[in-house]
Amino acid sequence: MFELGVVYRNIQRTDAATADGLAKFGSATVHEAMGRVGLMKPHMRPIYAGAQVSGTAVTVLLHPGDNWMMHVVAEQIRPGDIVIAAITAECTDGYFGDLLATSFMARGARALVIDAGVRDVKTLTEMGFPVWSKAISAKGTIKATLGSVNIPVVCAGALVHPGDVVVADDDGVVVVPRALAGKTLEAAAAREANEGEKRARLAAGVLGLDMYKMREPLERAGLNYID
Amino acid sequence: MFELGVVYRNIQRTDAATADGLAKFGSATVHEAMGRVGLMKPHMRPIYAGAQVSGTAVTVLLHPGDNWMMHVVAEQIRPGDIVIAAITAECTDGYFGDLLATSFMARGARALVIDAGVRDVKTLTEMGFPVWSKAISAKGTIKATLGSVNIPVVCAGALVHPGDVVVADDDGVVVVPRALAGKTLEAAAAREANEGEKRARLAAGVLGLDMYKMREPLERAGLNYID
Amino acid sequence: MFELGVVYRNIQRTDAATADGLAKFGSATVHEAMGRVGLMKPHMRPIYAGAQVSGTAVTVLLHPGDNWMMHVVAEQIRPGDIVIAAITAECTDGYFGDLLATSFMARGARALVIDAGVRDVKTLTEMGFPVWSKAISAKGTIKATLGSVNIPVVCAGALVHPGDVVVADDDGVVVVPRALAGKTLEAAAAREANEGEKRARLAAGVLGLDMYKMREPLERAGLNYID
Amino acid sequence: MFELGVVYRNIQRTDAATADGLAKFGSATVHEAMGRVGLMKPHMRPIYAGAQVSGTAVTVLLHPGDNWMMHVVAEQIRPGDIVIAAITAECTDGYFGDLLATSFMARGARALVIDAGVRDVKTLTEMGFPVWSKAISAKGTIKATLGSVNIPVVCAGALVHPGDVVVADDDGVVVVPRALAGKTLEAAAAREANEGEKRARLAAGVLGLDMYKMREPLERAGLNYID
Amino acid sequence: MFELGVVYRNIQRTDAATADGLAKFGSATVHEAMGRVGLMKPHMRPIYAGAQVSGTAVTVLLHPGDNWMMHVVAEQIRPGDIVIAAITAECTDGYFGDLLATSFMARGARALVIDAGVRDVKTLTEMGFPVWSKAISAKGTIKATLGSVNIPVVCAGALVHPGDVVVADDDGVVVVPRALAGKTLEAAAAREANEGEKRARLAAGVLGLDMYKMREPLERAGLNYID
Amino acid sequence: MFELGVVYRNIQRTDAATADGLAKFGSATVHEAMGRVGLMKPHMRPIYAGAQVSGTAVTVLLHPGDNWMMHVVAEQIRPGDIVIAAITAECTDGYFGDLLATSFMARGARALVIDAGVRDVKTLTEMGFPVWSKAISAKGTIKATLGSVNIPVVCAGALVHPGDVVVADDDGVVVVPRALAGKTLEAAAAREANEGEKRARLAAGVLGLDMYKMREPLERAGLNYID
């Protein structure tokens, strides 16, 4: 773990059907389906609103102010992947812009998730290449130090193994370990299944207090109504 | 104050004409009209741009990571209300999503103001239910601890009594105490009245220095012009 | 430097052709062209997405919670200028709204860059007057204390002399000293010149590893590929 | 509420025995005794470690960068008081230094709690005058704008009425409303009473799991032990 | 990974000689010895200056505002352990105070590292029980939700497996994976070995430029000296 | 300005008597004496309490995560200097530890002021070498990229020219331009001169309201006393 200067070329990706299937549930439902773990910190924000994706993680560990390994990870991208970029220290520099995005898209990447900054966000938005980052910055980087590709990384507080599924939308970014992806997909589908009915009842004016049968436990907990 | 486990069912709301009338002036003008007090901290941001609302406050005090009382407050909402949610400690969890929004809208709520996180922001945006919050997070919450409804709360640095008027737009969120709402409405209208004329003069190239007669006080204060 | 209570009326502006010519390259390219210096901190964000401008700096130094000098600087604006507002201490108050924007536009200002807050952002967006700021806040200011106009200021970590060129877009704000503006324009144009070709090659699937001939230096640095 | 330009000279202070009696329990125990409400945000830190005080609140509302009202509140201090200073906007300026501290001490003040900055902290430490603040800054302030004295204020997220009890130590600052002070003192004493015995048992190796009888509820909640 | 509601009782701890031996090198040297990875974020600060420890990690995953599992982890502590507490979301509540510290010390724990708040810091300091945390807060917690003990956790940006070595001092907290601990100890010792000689030479006025033979590479990189 | 890869060997230092003389007034008084400008941001904190120094600035501009130029600047230090280190982007890495401190002390440096992180703070404290920084971090840096020495830099929001005077204590860090140093020394001495008398009067119970004759201006501003 945390080896520097290595690139793992063969990683076990979550099967495509599962990885692709998680996108439509969104990060909030998937996070619930996992038992409320695996979420990146809320400082990770999309560069434009409305993107909702899932895909298999290829990971890259970078040094502050140095994006050399971004070119190394590009070669390891396969269609359906999402690149997860972690930094060994706090940094807001713009590691990624429209040229790298062009390359990533040509390789089939669906998105970039980076715990640092990006730039060229206007062009990235026009290209429709979604990025979740902690900052936007015109500050470029150098190419001097080796990091690693496809090792496990901690990105924005979440552990990501290569091949895990990443689900990202306007609510944030959640990581589903490969071994749990199938079960999580089922659990997410089950959660979603009865949401439509719930929504209809709530829209009709039924209260959550009644629909979820909360009145009795609230009373037991000692809630007092005062007129 | 700050009683836990109580729900006040009968609150005195500011009269609807006054509460509704404040929306069109926006938070900046209302804040000026009040003498520059009552503003929430600038970390409170709308989940989408362009919403501008006013309404009567129903308040809820929540614990970190626990949204149980959100269902309790839903029952106390009347058409024209804005829900003000305060937390007893710093928390960025997503307390509120599309199902609760459906319920709040069905009860007639106009907006939510919460000093914590929300989720399902894409759906909330599509539904047109505006929220001002300090974070966006897919992280859900539990339902285990009693808070209170319709007690005075401190939300994002502002004191809110149930029934106060809340004015929110892209500039922020301001709270108008019920007793001052009528006077504030008048003061806001008076401020606005001569803004049109001022704007026309400034657009025509008249300087604020002359329009506001600042040259003499600036000179008196010692301002030096150097060529 | 840092004189208080002075207004310099005659400043040497970068020539218009150079100042205007830098806009189209954007902050990231200009920042690179300068050798990666001169960038404001990434907390400076545009109030709406998509604006991209350059212009000559007129500067103003303000005190916390006091925007008196904003009216003084208005008179010094000439067509093509961008106002750079620095504050003597941390402050998020809303120093600038639609009336001042009307006046600034009437004088020919292209944008405001302020290391504090602004308000009326909805109207400013409708007016198409771009602002880069560190906060949005309905909180107004008083008019009580003298600052200065057209002295060198430090704004969001960057030193700005009156007459320097300012380039701002969604990626941030960069300052080009007047003496370096011509050379920077050339360097930016040179950088941009071969970007189109690079983009085409990357879009065709060529890797940066090959296009930039990185394989050999990476190997020399000790990168290991593991299958 | 939030009137500007007023000084209330006659406030009802919590009786001295109660106000003084709360100090020895410290902020954590008092906060628990109140039902876990009334705490200021954790950004409020003491300028030196080890001070532990309680006293009756006299309040002051200040504007950003302006400490004029600090001199007005000084006159309202009586022995046993703690000054609570709130600001109408975010500000880190140094509102208070050794001269004001000399004056406050001469009036009998026990401490200052301010949601902004202070300075001369080395001298304040030598004088033994404790301050809880959100920042330390050499930046001074002007004297230009009226605030108020002894109105209710929101300070670091907590509502403070004049005459309330304030308890502050290395863990933070808690506010006890006057009407609840007596009951809180009793509750704090009751909590503390059996702490000694608990501490002895824990020191002897008894586990909280057993002392608090948590094993059964943990099992019921589904906790699994895996060897 | 990230299972909720489980307690692993049998973990493989790094051997005591290695775990104990790392303390004296401190976090900076150990971090270098590992190749500059494994460091927690710099927001993790000691509650008092001067403590320097190492030990084997027992881990606990907690929910925001809920310290129930702290009592569960206490039972799993063995002499020489350091408790690593991660939270599933951002939280500054005070999860840990003098009673829990008494229990932890009785079990042989050397320190607590927690990515949240602690309280009773004055007493903890007197007890000599060191804690590294991101906040100090009098705010207590509830006991309602299951987390886990001795699963791998991400704490302050660092991945920690139960049994890993943790080294903490005034510079921060570093995590050494069990498999790398022996090698890291050797590397740290090697680094330290010639530090004494270096220090003597630098103290005698020899420049790093000469001692590290940097003049030639600096010249090659293009450094210009201007008189 | 902001040239990269240059070292200015001959800088004009403020004369020693003036530079040395400013220390005893402290940052707050010097900042007032300058007209309340020149202060670094309040995130700059001393690594230990109680140090109070002044000296002549030698400056260094560094890149994120790279401390190569620290060795270059060491050679330019003369007795009485304070090293001012600015970074081209936000960074919290530990650029400086006990070995560099040994070298700096051997050259006669009085302190380091760095808008980034430092490490070995326990040893630095024992050595009595004061540092003002924005972070403490065990994270080391590489030596790969050229910055500059003795160019003007912006450090923590303040512009520093080589040879300026720097005054630092527990309240913060203030920069006095060389050309203003003599005048500032006089102004600081004048401010201090009558502080003793003021302190005595305040200690005797005289109110600032009377001593500064504020009652009449407060009344004129509209202050109301309510009994």
Side-chain angles (χ1 to χ4, degrees):
Chain A
M1 177 139 263
F2 292 142
E3 302 152 277
L4 290 177
V6 295
V7 180
Y8 285 90
R9 270 195 283 232
N10 296 314
I11 63 171
Q12 275 203 277
R13 287 171 171 83
T14 304
D15 71 278
T18 306
D20 296 355
L22 280 162
K24 73 165 181 282
F25 299 108
S27 64
T29 294
V30 170
H31 181 243
E32 291 288 345
M34 285 185 67
R36 255 180 281 135
V37 291
L39 192 68
M40 291 193 187
K41 303 262 180 202
H43 67 240
M44 297 298 284
R45 302 302 306 143
I47 58 167
Y48 57 85
Q52 184 163 333
V53 300
S54 66
T56 38
V58 295
T59 67
V60 58
L61 183 65
L62 302 150
H63 288 284
D66 191 316
N67 81 341
W68 208 11
M69 299 307 285
M70 279 299 209
H71 293 279
V72 178
V73 75
E75 190 176 28
Q76 305 307 316
I77 294 170
R78 294 196 194 159
D81 283 344
I82 292 178
V83 177
I84 304 294
I87 321 294
T88 59
E90 304 273 350
C91 188
T92 59
D93 288 0
Y95 281 76
F96 182 89
D98 64 342
L99 287 182
L100 268 168
T102 301
S103 181
F104 277 32
M105 286 182 89
R107 307 291 297 179
R110 288 187 182 153
L112 168 69
V113 173
I114 180 166
D115 197 10
V118 291
R119 56 185 187 169
D120 300 332
V121 295
K122 191 178 182 178
T123 308
L124 295 178
T125 303
E126 289 160 5
M127 292 166 70
F129 187 79
V131 178
W132 283 257
S133 72
K134 94 167 175 194
I136 292 169
S137 172
K139 174 86 164 52
T141 47
I142 61 167
K143 297 175 207 318
T145 317
L146 291 189
S148 288
V149 167
N150 281 334
I151 62 166
V153 295
V154 173
C155 180
L159 178 64
V160 190
H161 285 84
D164 286 351
V165 186
V166 176
V167 182
D169 60 13
D170 291 350
D171 292 341
V173 184
V174 68
V175 182
V176 185
R178 186 165 53 88
L180 304 178
K183 221 170 68 180
T184 302
L185 181 60
E186 285 168 33
R191 280 189 75 87
E192 196 91 333
N194 58 356
E195 287 237 325
E197 189 205 358
K198 276 188 201 165
R199 193 174 290 108
R201 292 181 65 193
L202 292 169
V206 177
L207 286 164
L209 286 177
D210 297 309
M211 193 169 80
Y212 300 113
K213 299 190 195 317
M214 288 173 173
R215 292 193 190 272
E216 195 271 333
L218 282 165
E219 190 184 342
R220 208 172 347 114
L223 189 64
N224 287 311
Y225 285 88
I226 299 173
D227 286 323
Chain B
M1 177 136 265
F2 290 143
E3 302 151 278
L4 289 176
V6 295
V7 180
Y8 285 89
R9 271 195 283 231
N10 296 314
I11 62 171
Q12 275 202 277
R13 287 170 171 82
T14 303
D15 71 280
T18 306
D20 295 356
L22 281 161
K24 75 164 180 282
F25 299 107
S27 64
T29 294
V30 170
H31 181 244
E32 291 288 346
M34 285 185 67
R36 256 180 283 136
V37 291
L39 192 68
M40 292 192 186
K41 303 260 182 203
H43 66 241
M44 296 298 283
R45 300 303 306 144
I47 58 167
Y48 57 86
Q52 184 164 333
V53 301
S54 67
T56 39
V58 295
T59 67
V60 58
L61 183 65
L62 301 150
H63 288 284
D66 191 315
N67 80 342
W68 208 11
M69 300 307 287
M70 279 298 210
H71 293 279
V72 177
V73 75
E75 191 176 28
Q76 305 308 316
I77 294 169
R78 293 196 193 159
D81 282 345
I82 291 176
V83 177
I84 305 294
I87 321 293
T88 59
E90 304 273 350
C91 188
T92 59
D93 288 0
Y95 281 77
F96 182 88
D98 64 342
L99 287 182
L100 268 168
T102 302
S103 182
F104 276 32
M105 285 182 88
R107 307 291 298 179
R110 286 184 183 155
L112 169 69
V113 174
I114 181 166
D115 197 11
V118 290
R119 57 184 188 172
D120 299 333
V121 294
K122 191 179 182 178
T123 308
L124 295 178
T125 302
E126 290 160 4
M127 292 166 69
F129 188 79
V131 178
W132 283 258
S133 72
K134 94 164 173 195
I136 293 170
S137 171
K139 175 86 164 52
T141 48
I142 60 168
K143 297 174 206 318
T145 316
L146 292 188
S148 288
V149 168
N150 282 333
I151 63 165
V153 295
V154 173
C155 179
L159 177 64
V160 190
H161 285 85
D164 286 350
V165 185
V166 176
V167 182
D169 60 14
D170 290 350
D171 291 341
V173 183
V174 70
V175 181
V176 185
R178 185 164 55 88
L180 304 180
K183 222 170 67 181
T184 302
L185 181 59
E186 285 168 34
R191 280 188 76 86
E192 196 91 334
N194 60 354
E195 288 236 325
E197 190 206 357
K198 277 188 202 166
R199 193 174 290 109
R201 293 181 64 194
L202 292 167
V206 177
L207 285 165
L209 286 177
D210 298 309
M211 192 169 81
Y212 300 114
K213 299 188 195 317
M214 289 173 174
R215 291 193 191 273
E216 195 272 333
L218 282 164
E219 190 185 344
R220 211 176 339 119
L223 189 64
N224 287 311
Y225 284 87
I226 299 172
D227 285 321
Chain C
M1 177 138 264
F2 291 144
E3 303 151 277
L4 290 176
V6 295
V7 180
Y8 285 90
R9 270 195 284 232
N10 295 314
I11 63 172
Q12 275 202 279
R13 287 171 170 82
T14 303
D15 71 279
T18 306
D20 296 355
L22 280 162
K24 75 164 179 285
F25 299 108
S27 64
T29 294
V30 170
H31 182 243
E32 291 288 346
M34 286 185 65
R36 257 181 280 135
V37 290
L39 192 68
M40 292 194 186
K41 302 262 181 202
H43 66 240
M44 296 299 283
R45 300 304 305 145
I47 59 167
Y48 58 86
Q52 184 164 334
V53 300
S54 67
T56 38
V58 294
T59 67
V60 57
L61 182 65
L62 302 150
H63 288 283
D66 192 315
N67 80 340
W68 208 11
M69 300 306 286
M70 280 298 209
H71 293 278
V72 178
V73 76
E75 190 176 28
Q76 306 308 317
I77 294 169
R78 294 197 194 157
D81 282 344
I82 292 178
V83 178
I84 304 295
I87 322 292
T88 58
E90 304 272 352
C91 188
T92 60
D93 288 0
Y95 281 76
F96 181 88
D98 63 342
L99 286 181
L100 269 168
T102 301
S103 181
F104 277 31
M105 286 182 88
R107 308 290 297 180
R110 287 185 182 155
L112 169 70
V113 174
I114 180 166
D115 197 10
V118 290
R119 56 184 188 172
D120 300 331
V121 295
K122 191 179 182 177
T123 309
L124 295 178
T125 302
E126 288 160 5
M127 292 166 70
F129 187 79
V131 179
W132 283 258
S133 72
K134 95 167 173 192
I136 292 170
S137 171
K139 174 87 164 53
T141 47
I142 61 167
K143 296 175 205 320
T145 315
L146 291 189
S148 289
V149 168
N150 281 333
I151 62 166
V153 295
V154 173
C155 179
L159 177 65
V160 190
H161 286 84
D164 286 351
V165 185
V166 176
V167 182
D169 60 13
D170 291 351
D171 291 341
V173 184
V174 69
V175 181
V176 184
R178 185 164 55 87
L180 304 178
K183 220 170 68 180
T184 303
L185 181 60
E186 283 167 36
R191 280 188 75 86
E192 196 90 333
N194 59 354
E195 286 238 325
E197 190 207 356
K198 277 188 201 165
R199 194 175 289 107
R201 293 180 64 192
L202 292 168
V206 176
L207 286 164
L209 287 177
D210 298 309
M211 193 169 81
Y212 300 114
K213 300 189 196 314
M214 290 174 173
R215 291 193 192 274
E216 195 270 334
L218 282 164
E219 192 185 341
R220 210 175 342 117
L223 189 64
N224 287 311
Y225 285 86
I226 299 172
D227 286 321
Chain D
M1 174 136 270
F2 289 142
E3 303 152 277
L4 289 177
V6 294
V7 181
Y8 286 90
R9 270 196 281 231
N10 295 314
I11 63 172
Q12 274 202 277
R13 286 170 171 82
T14 304
D15 71 279
T18 306
D20 295 355
L22 280 161
K24 74 165 179 282
F25 299 108
S27 64
T29 295
V30 170
H31 181 244
E32 291 288 345
M34 285 185 67
R36 255 179 284 135
V37 291
L39 192 68
M40 291 191 187
K41 303 261 182 203
H43 67 240
M44 297 298 284
R45 301 301 307 142
I47 58 167
Y48 57 87
Q52 184 164 333
V53 300
S54 66
T56 38
V58 294
T59 67
V60 57
L61 182 65
L62 301 150
H63 288 283
D66 191 316
N67 81 341
W68 208 10
M69 300 307 285
M70 279 299 208
H71 293 278
V72 178
V73 75
E75 190 177 28
Q76 306 308 317
I77 294 170
R78 293 195 194 160
D81 283 344
I82 291 177
V83 177
I84 304 295
I87 321 293
T88 59
E90 305 273 352
C91 188
T92 59
D93 287 0
Y95 281 75
F96 182 89
D98 64 341
L99 286 181
L100 268 167
T102 301
S103 182
F104 277 32
M105 286 182 89
R107 308 290 298 179
R110 287 184 183 155
L112 168 69
V113 174
I114 180 166
D115 197 11
V118 291
R119 56 185 187 171
D120 299 333
V121 295
K122 191 179 182 178
T123 308
L124 295 178
T125 303
E126 288 160 6
M127 293 167 68
F129 188 79
V131 178
W132 283 258
S133 72
K134 93 166 175 194
I136 292 170
S137 171
K139 174 86 164 54
T141 48
I142 60 167
K143 297 175 206 317
T145 317
L146 291 189
S148 288
V149 168
N150 281 334
I151 62 166
V153 296
V154 173
C155 179
L159 177 65
V160 190
H161 286 84
D164 286 351
V165 185
V166 176
V167 182
D169 60 14
D170 290 351
D171 291 341
V173 184
V174 69
V175 181
V176 184
R178 186 165 55 89
L180 304 178
K183 222 170 68 181
T184 302
L185 181 60
E186 284 169 33
R191 280 188 75 86
E192 195 91 332
N194 59 357
E195 288 237 325
E197 191 206 354
K198 277 188 201 164
R199 194 174 290 109
R201 294 180 64 192
L202 292 168
V206 177
L207 286 164
L209 287 177
D210 297 310
M211 194 170 80
Y212 300 114
K213 299 189 195 318
M214 288 172 172
R215 291 194 191 273
E216 196 272 333
L218 282 165
E219 191 185 342
R220 211 174 341 116
L223 189 64
N224 287 312
Y225 284 87
I226 299 173
D227 286 321
Chain E
M1 174 138 269
F2 290 144
E3 302 151 278
L4 290 177
V6 295
V7 180
Y8 285 89
R9 270 196 284 231
N10 296 315
I11 62 172
Q12 276 202 277
R13 286 171 171 83
T14 304
D15 71 279
T18 306
D20 296 355
L22 280 161
K24 75 165 179 281
F25 299 107
S27 64
T29 295
V30 170
H31 181 244
E32 291 289 345
M34 286 185 66
R36 256 180 283 134
V37 291
L39 193 68
M40 292 193 187
K41 303 261 182 203
H43 67 241
M44 296 299 282
R45 300 303 305 144
I47 59 167
Y48 58 86
Q52 184 164 334
V53 301
S54 66
T56 38
V58 294
T59 67
V60 58
L61 183 65
L62 301 150
H63 289 284
D66 191 315
N67 81 340
W68 208 9
M69 299 307 286
M70 279 298 209
H71 293 279
V72 177
V73 75
E75 191 176 26
Q76 305 307 317
I77 295 169
R78 293 196 194 160
D81 283 344
I82 292 177
V83 177
I84 304 295
I87 321 293
T88 59
E90 304 274 351
C91 188
T92 59
D93 288 0
Y95 281 76
F96 182 89
D98 64 341
L99 287 181
L100 269 167
T102 302
S103 182
F104 277 32
M105 286 182 88
R107 308 290 298 180
R110 286 185 183 154
L112 169 69
V113 174
I114 180 166
D115 197 10
V118 291
R119 55 184 188 172
D120 300 333
V121 294
K122 191 180 182 177
T123 309
L124 296 177
T125 303
E126 288 161 5
M127 293 166 68
F129 188 79
V131 178
W132 283 258
S133 72
K134 95 165 174 194
I136 292 170
S137 171
K139 174 88 164 51
T141 48
I142 60 168
K143 296 174 205 320
T145 316
L146 292 189
S148 288
V149 168
N150 281 334
I151 62 167
V153 295
V154 173
C155 180
L159 177 65
V160 190
H161 286 84
D164 286 352
V165 184
V166 176
V167 181
D169 59 14
D170 290 350
D171 291 341
V173 183
V174 69
V175 181
V176 185
R178 186 165 52 89
L180 306 178
K183 221 170 67 181
T184 302
L185 181 60
E186 283 167 34
R191 280 188 76 85
E192 197 91 333
N194 59 355
E195 288 237 326
E197 190 206 355
K198 277 188 200 164
R199 193 173 290 109
R201 294 180 64 193
L202 292 167
V206 177
L207 285 164
L209 287 177
D210 298 309
M211 193 169 81
Y212 300 114
K213 301 190 194 316
M214 290 173 171
R215 292 192 191 273
E216 195 271 334
L218 283 164
E219 191 185 343
R220 211 175 341 117
L223 189 64
N224 287 312
Y225 285 87
I226 299 172
D227 285 321
Chain F
M1 175 138 267
F2 290 143
E3 302 151 278
L4 290 177
V6 295
V7 180
Y8 286 90
R9 270 195 283 231
N10 295 314
I11 62 172
Q12 275 201 278
R13 287 170 171 82
T14 303
D15 71 279
T18 306
D20 296 354
L22 281 161
K24 74 164 181 282
F25 299 108
S27 64
T29 293
V30 170
H31 181 244
E32 292 288 346
M34 285 185 67
R36 255 180 284 134
V37 291
L39 193 68
M40 292 193 186
K41 303 262 181 201
H43 67 241
M44 297 298 283
R45 301 301 306 144
I47 59 167
Y48 57 87
Q52 183 163 335
V53 300
S54 66
T56 39
V58 295
T59 67
V60 57
L61 182 65
L62 302 150
H63 288 283
D66 191 315
N67 81 340
W68 208 10
M69 299 306 286
M70 279 298 209
H71 293 279
V72 178
V73 76
E75 190 177 26
Q76 306 307 317
I77 294 169
R78 293 197 194 158
D81 283 345
I82 292 178
V83 177
I84 305 295
I87 320 294
T88 58
E90 305 272 352
C91 187
T92 59
D93 288 0
Y95 281 76
F96 181 88
D98 63 342
L99 286 181
L100 269 167
T102 301
S103 181
F104 277 32
M105 285 181 88
R107 307 291 297 179
R110 288 186 181 153
L112 168 69
V113 173
I114 181 166
D115 197 12
V118 291
R119 55 185 188 171
D120 299 333
V121 294
K122 191 180 182 176
T123 308
L124 295 178
T125 302
E126 289 160 6
M127 292 166 69
F129 187 79
V131 179
W132 283 258
S133 72
K134 94 167 176 195
I136 293 169
S137 171
K139 175 85 164 54
T141 47
I142 61 168
K143 297 175 207 316
T145 317
L146 291 189
S148 288
V149 167
N150 281 333
I151 63 166
V153 295
V154 173
C155 179
L159 177 65
V160 190
H161 286 84
D164 287 350
V165 185
V166 176
V167 182
D169 60 13
D170 291 350
D171 292 340
V173 184
V174 69
V175 181
V176 185
R178 186 165 53 89
L180 304 179
K183 220 170 68 181
T184 301
L185 181 60
E186 285 168 32
R191 280 188 76 85
E192 197 91 333
N194 59 356
E195 287 236 326
E197 190 206 356
K198 277 188 201 164
R199 194 173 289 109
R201 292 181 65 193
L202 292 168
V206 176
L207 285 164
L209 287 177
D210 298 309
M211 193 169 80
Y212 300 114
K213 300 192 194 315
M214 290 173 171
R215 291 193 191 273
E216 195 270 334
L218 282 165
E219 191 184 342
R220 211 173 343 116
L223 189 64
N224 287 312
Y225 284 88
I226 299 172
D227 286 321

